[in-house]
């Protein structure tokens, strides 16, 4: 056979690989949707979007230095648990965003997420291979990296589907508010129409006012979909913590 699956008889390796696969799914998924959120909803350029995500790398670097210092002094399972908790906090912070935020609201969750990732990867790898024999290491490393990449691919595909379907669902739930029987809608519509009528005909102003309000509804529906995905991954991070007792 191309690979030796007997390494999965080792409980530490099996649990570690499963957690690594989930971490890969969370990591690649959040990295995939965050630029979409920043560029499509907040109007960031590709450059500013990249700058907002960069602190994640600094957080990971800092946490790797911390792990190197406390390695052997603190139980690896505790470090991993703290890492998952930080990632959950980061996801829930992303889950409280709106369309009026500053870049600081993006930088801080990214930095915290980077801290969590650094606290997870090294201790998790150490625990995964701690009970394997030397001749099993190469094969086990290849399998674990493969499954982590598969997890990332599946997670990215899943989150893309969730965002698309979630946006449609939220749009269907919100659209009933755009009714002539809704006084708030009537107030906003008349205000937009009155402003636009100063620069164009009444007929065109009416159509553009409807389009403007409906565009805002689409933005809010997409925002709610992104928030749902971030909160879902935050819950997943918390669910993974009890699995550490299996090591």
């Amino acid at each position: 056979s191309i690979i030796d699956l007997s390494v999965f008889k080792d409980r530490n390796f099996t649990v570690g690989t499963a957690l690594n696969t989930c971490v890969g799914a969370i990591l690649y998924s959040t990295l995939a949707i965050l630029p979409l959120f920043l560029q499509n909803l907040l109007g960031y350029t590709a450059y500013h979007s990249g700058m907002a995500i960069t602190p994640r790398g600094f957080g990971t670097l800092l946490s790797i230095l911390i792990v190197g210092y406390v390695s052997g002094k603190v139980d690896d399972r505790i470090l991993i648990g703290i890492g998952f908790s930080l990632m959950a906090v980061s996801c829930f912070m992303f889950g409280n965003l709106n369309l009026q935020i500053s870049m600081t609201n993006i930088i801080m969750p990214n930095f915290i997420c980077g801290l969590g990732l650094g606290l997870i990867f090294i201790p998790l790898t150490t625990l995964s291979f701690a009970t394997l024999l030397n001749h099993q290491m190469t094969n086990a490393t290849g399998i674990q990296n493969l499954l982590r990449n598969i997890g990332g691919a599946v997670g990215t595909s899943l989150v893309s589907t969730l965002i698309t379907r979630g946006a449609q669902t939220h749009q269907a739930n919100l659209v009933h508010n755009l009714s002539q029987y809704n006084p708030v809608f009537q107030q906003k519509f008349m205000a937009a129409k009155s402003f636009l009528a100063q620069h164009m005909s009444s007929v065109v102003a009416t159509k553009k006012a409807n389009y403007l309000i409906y565009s805002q509804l689409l933005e809010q529906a997409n925002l709610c979909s992104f928030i749902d995905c971030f909160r879902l991954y935050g819950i997943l991070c918390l669910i993974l913590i009890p699995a550490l007792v299996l090591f």
Side-chain angles (χ1 to χ4, degrees), residues 78-91:
I78 295 177
L79 295 177
I80 298 171
I82 295 173
F84 277 126
S85 300
L86 290 175
M87 286 187 66
V89 169
S90 170
C91 290

Side-chain angles (χ1 to χ4, degrees), residues 20 26 29 125 131 144 149 153 185:
N20 249 316
I26 297 171
S29 297
T125 302
T131 53
Q144 191 169 91
N149 289 332
F185 167 74

Side-chain angles (χ1 to χ4, degrees), residues 96-116:
N96 289 322
L97 300 181
N98 55 58
L99 299 181
Q100 285 77 44
I101 59 173
S102 66
M103 187 178 287
T104 305
N105 298 103
I106 301 296
I107 290 176
M108 287 306 299
N110 268 308
F111 182 77
I112 294 173
C113 182
L115 285 174

Side-chain angles (χ1 to χ4, degrees), residues 206-221:
T206 300
K207 292 183 178 181
K208 286 188 175 292
N210 276 313
Y211 175 78
L212 178 63
I213 295 177
Y214 186 66
S215 297
Q216 292 177 348
L217 181 141
L218 293 179
E219 286 184 349
Q220 293 298 321

Side-chain angles (χ1 to χ4, degrees), residues 88-176:
V89 169
S90 170
C91 290
F92 287 128
M93 290 176 71
F94 281 128
N96 289 322
L97 300 181
N98 55 58
L99 299 181
Q100 285 77 44
I101 59 173
S102 66
M103 187 178 287
T104 305
N105 298 103
I106 301 296
I107 290 176
M108 287 306 299
N110 268 308
F111 182 77
I112 294 173
C113 182
L115 285 174
L117 288 171
L119 291 175
I120 290 174
F121 276 127
I122 296 179
L124 188 56
T125 302
T126 302
L127 286 177
S128 298
F129 296 95
T131 53
L132 290 177
L133 301 176
N134 287 337
H135 70 272
Q136 296 176 307
M137 292 294 185
T138 303
N139 178 67
T141 302
I143 292 175
Q144 191 169 91
N145 289 334
L146 171 65
L147 291 177
R148 182 191 301 165
N149 289 332
I150 291 176
V154 172
T156 303
S157 301
L158 178 62
V159 77
S160 300
T161 303
L162 290 175
I163 285 178
T164 302
R165 293 187 176 184
Q168 293 293 323
T169 302
H170 285 292
Q171 179 183 341
N173 292 334
L174 293 173
V175 75
H176 73 275

Side-chain angles (χ1 to χ4, degrees), residues 6-20 75-77 80 123-132 140 144 243-247:
S6 64
V7 289
F8 285 106
K9 294 179 180 179
D10 186 282
R11 187 174 68 180
N12 270 21
F13 177 75
T14 301
V15 175
T17 300
L19 291 178
N20 249 316
D75 192 329
D76 286 336
R77 290 171 292 186
I80 298 171
L124 188 56
T125 302
T126 302
L127 286 177
S128 298
F129 296 95
T131 53
L132 290 177
Q144 191 169 91
L244 299 176
V245 300
L246 299 176
F247 280 113

